[in-house]
Amino acid sequence: MSAPLPGRIVCFGEMLLRLSPPAGRLLAQASTLDLCTGGAEANVAVSLARLGHATAMVTTLPDSAPGQIAVDALRTHGVDVGGVRREPGRMGLYFLTPGAVLRPSEIVYDRAGSSFACADPAGYDWNALLAGAAWLHVSGISPAVGAAPARAVAEAMRSARALGVRVSFDGNYRASLWAARGEDGAGVLRALMARADLAFANGRDFALLLGRPELAQPEREDEAVAAAFAAFPHLGHIAFTRRRELSVQQHELRACLRTRDASGGAAEAGPYHLHEIVDRIGTGDAFAAGILDGLLRGEGPAAVAGFGLAAAVAKHSIAGDFNLASREQIAMVAAGALSVRR
């Protein structure tokens, strides 16, 4: 096995167990449920580990069999679990009903009162957890889960900036989670975005954060990106995808990478025309991992955007939350190589 690539990435967030009825069945019809492990930040950690990077997951899991399933899943794919806390409590769950034809997929969260949501933010020693790290990756999901995770994310980002660790922030806006808290989350997410070096967010996200709903219009995307760079001075890169859905299993996907430095310019990749999609959950996290991989490797914007998009496309063919595609498999997707490998 080759040595990990330079640059350790620390990911912080909640891990979940996903429960799904068989394809074509509604949750009310299911007599069995498929189980897999996931969570936005863990998905990124696993993807980057599969690409040869040293990654570590920081989270709190219940000291129970479901918690052990999550720990074992991380270990299986080479993610460092030294920063995983085990405490009494319950595991966060979500139920996914896969869509079909013109019926969209549906997700129901069951994560209130989880070990992660209730964990004391002071229990994370960020100076130790971020020692030797090149990047910290977090998302907007954690602060939506509760006040304690929101404080933990803010402290992680503050510590990273103080230590010279670059910060990757995926907006990952979850309206249903914020609604359960009785707020829209704009103020919280705006404060977190101000500490990020890399943002995975699009015009709709920035329209919410900046209180400028007119920027959510697709034709004002460039204006939204410019407004974000002006509002958040630490941001060096903004990356996002554009998805056109023709049916549940037929999508068109593109990627965009924007840089603050005018000489770096803008890069776009795609489109890919996706048919017979196996699983679209986790594709945004696969994209984030692909972008981080390219930046860590010092690639130019076009190569970074192209690899990030190919990673997302590859994930559409893989069941479960994790993108288990290798670098070679992602490269084959990018090259359009469809012949059987022998």
Side-chain angles (χ1 to χ4, degrees), residues 55-189:
T55 65
M57 187 68 197
V58 178
T59 190
T60 298
L61 289 168
D63 190 11
S64 64
Q68 192 62 44
I69 290 172
V71 172
D72 290 345
L74 293 173
R75 285 194 177 119
T76 295
H77 299 295
V79 177
D80 182 353
V81 297
V84 175
R85 292 162 57 183
R86 304 294 299 274
E87 296 186 357
R90 60 162 300 214
M91 186 81 187
L93 307 174
Y94 79 95
F95 295 86
L96 168 69
T97 301
V101 193
L102 298 179
R103 173 178 57 79
S105 298
E106 296 182 35
I107 288 177
V108 176
Y109 290 112
D110 179 18
R111 56 202 298 178
S114 68
S115 293
F116 178 82
C118 298
D120 183 356
Y124 300 107
D125 182 353
W126 290 111
N127 286 337
L129 292 167
L130 293 171
W135 283 90
L136 166 71
H137 178 75
V138 293
S139 86
I141 297 177
S142 295
V145 170
R151 290 196 300 273
V153 172
E155 184 56 36
M157 296 175 86
R158 280 194 294 267
S159 298
R161 296 221 65 84
L163 294 168
V165 177
R166 287 182 289 179
V167 177
S168 165
F169 181 62
D170 192 332
N172 263 341
Y173 185 69
R174 297 292 186 265
S176 62
L177 293 178
W178 284 110
R181 291 191 59 186
E183 56 180 299
D184 65 8
V188 174
L189 296 178

Side-chain angles (χ1 to χ4, degrees), residues 135 166-169 193 196-201 206 225 228-229 232-240 256-261 264-265 291 294-295 299-301 304:
W135 283 90
R166 287 182 289 179
V167 177
S168 165
F169 181 62
M193 185 68 76
D197 298 280
L198 164 64
F200 295 100
F206 292 126
V225 169
F229 279 130
F232 305 115
H234 291 301
L235 276 183
H237 296 85
I238 295 172
F240 54 94
C256 304
L257 179 65
R258 302 287 188 258
T259 63
R260 176 180 293 276
D261 182 0
I291 295 294
L295 294 177
E299 302 283 358
V304 173

Side-chain angles (χ1 to χ4, degrees), residues 9-52:
I9 307 97
V10 175
C11 300
F12 172 63
E14 183 170 25
M15 294 189 70
L16 305 166
L17 295 184
R18 166 174 138 185
L19 298 166
S20 302
R25 289 182 178 270
L26 300 178
L27 190 60
Q29 295 176 289
S31 58
T32 62
L33 295 173
D34 293 329
L35 181 149
C36 71
T37 307
E41 302 83 3
N43 296 344
V44 172
V46 168
S47 292
L48 285 167
R50 299 280 298 184
L51 292 173

